[in-house]
Amino acid sequence: MVEKTALVLSAGGMFGAYQAGAWKILAQKFQPGMVIGTSVGALNGWAIAGGCEPDQLVRYWLDPTAAGFLKPRSRWYPWCSFFDPAEFRANVQKLSSLFTPKIPFAVVITDVLRLRSSLFQSPGVGWQHLAAACAMPVGLPSMRIQGRWYADGGLLNVLPLWAAAEMGASHIVAIHALPQVPSRIIRSLVKLLRCFSRERNVAPNLSLTLISPTTPLGTLTESVLWKRDAVEGFIRKGQEDARNVVMAGAVKAASERSNTSTAVAPKLAAF
């Protein structure tokens, strides 16, 4: 039986820079057999699955144009989203056009009316799915895809490990940039929302290598507004935490598994 390692990337807004830093270290040890992401993890995951070099991903986060993903409106009204949706979608479309997944890729988004997580896999993933993955309430409007409304996948599950099991992974390497939302109010609102959902997320019975900061990476403002100093800090922290995991030998088994899966990648793609 072929063993496949999944790289799972969490939600996190601008904390996604932490994932870029961690990936720069991890990429030296292994290549995943599949990539799964939600929210900003979907954007990073799309680039990684598309062959984006680790240094290139880090440079992308350090570039001031990254601020365009979450650009506050020049004038905000309570009935409008806080961030400019046109600017956001234009940036997502640009990212989508730069890469095409070379290995299986999936994005997890929230079905707004059903309050259930939905998994979309390549090649059936377009820029609309990536935009929907980041459509946080109040922040950005939800996206209509095939007659249904979808929003940020992190609303119901910040780190969708279950998706890796559904896609047939035997091991997971997860980069969790948001172990705790840096706002008590938002944490309470999300908890309330999840109470109305019938979804009960259960961690799959798979081997897991987890890379995550022990404390929140920054403030709520730093999680949504691009600031170079803060982004540099997130990247350094991601590199540090990933390096500690690698030095502990936790990625060795994942590397061996992913090498096996890579050997049969053409057959999987054809299937």
Side-chain angles (χ1 to χ4, degrees):
M1 179 179 178
V2 175
E3 296 186 339
K4 296 182 288 185
T5 300
L7 175 66
V8 179
L9 304 172
S10 74
M14 290 298 166
F15 295 161
Y18 174 90
Q19 297 173 348
W23 176 242
K24 182 175 181 178
I25 302 301
L26 287 178
Q28 301 172 18
K29 297 293 294 185
F30 91 110
Q31 291 297 317
M34 64 183 73
V35 181
I36 301 163
T38 190
S39 195
V40 71
L43 303 183
N44 281 331
W46 177 267
I48 292 172
C52 179
E53 293 295 327
D55 286 335
Q56 181 184 359
L57 186 60
V58 168
R59 287 196 301 270
Y60 188 82
W61 274 100
L62 291 174
D63 194 306
T65 58
F69 277 92
L70 295 178
K71 181 181 179 180
R73 291 178 182 268
S74 56
R75 181 176 295 180
W76 180 72
Y77 299 99
W79 57 86
C80 298
S81 60
F82 183 77
F83 300 106
D84 186 339
E87 186 82 10
F88 169 74
R89 291 171 183 174
N91 277 278
V92 172
Q93 289 181 58
K94 181 179 179 180
L95 173 68
S96 175
S97 68
L98 291 175
F99 303 100
T100 299
K102 298 179 180 179
I103 59 176
F105 169 78
V107 57
V108 176
I109 53 182
T110 299
D111 185 319
V112 176
L113 297 181
R114 295 175 179 173
L115 277 183
R116 298 294 298 270
S117 293
S118 296
L119 178 67
F120 290 88
Q121 302 181 42
S122 60
V125 176
W127 74 265
Q128 298 92 335
H129 299 87
L130 300 180
C134 302
M136 65 192 85
V138 181
L140 289 165
S142 56
M143 293 287 296
R144 186 177 176 85
I145 303 173
Q146 298 176 347
R148 303 203 65 83
W149 290 98
Y150 293 96
D152 195 319
L155 291 173
L156 300 181
N157 196 335
V158 178
L159 185 67
L161 301 177
W162 62 270
E166 188 164 319
M167 290 179 65
S170 54
H171 181 81
I172 299 173
V173 174
I175 307 178
H176 194 352
L178 194 64
Q180 182 175 336
V181 177
S183 167
R184 290 184 179 180
I185 295 176
I186 295 180
R187 287 201 300 271
S188 298
L189 291 175
V190 170
K191 184 176 181 180
L192 179 63
L193 176 67
R194 291 172 181 173
C195 287
F196 287 99
S197 173
R198 291 178 299 172
E199 182 171 313
R200 294 294 179 265
N201 297 305
V202 178
N205 186 26
L206 297 178
S207 174
L208 171 65
T209 299
L210 179 65
I211 298 171
S212 181
T214 55
T215 58
L217 290 169
T219 65
L220 178 62
T221 299
E222 290 173 331
S223 73
V224 294
L225 298 180
W226 186 91
K227 295 181 180 179
R228 186 180 178 90
D229 289 347
V231 168
E232 288 177 342
F234 303 155
I235 292 172
R236 285 195 300 270
K237 182 60 176 171
Q239 291 176 311
E240 176 187 339
D241 290 344
R243 190 174 292 111
N244 289 338
V245 170
V246 169
M247 290 178 64
V251 182
K252 182 178 180 181
S255 177
E256 293 170 349
R257 291 183 173 91
S258 62
N259 286 340
T260 303
S261 63
T262 301
V264 296
K267 182 182 292 186
L268 294 175
F271 176 81

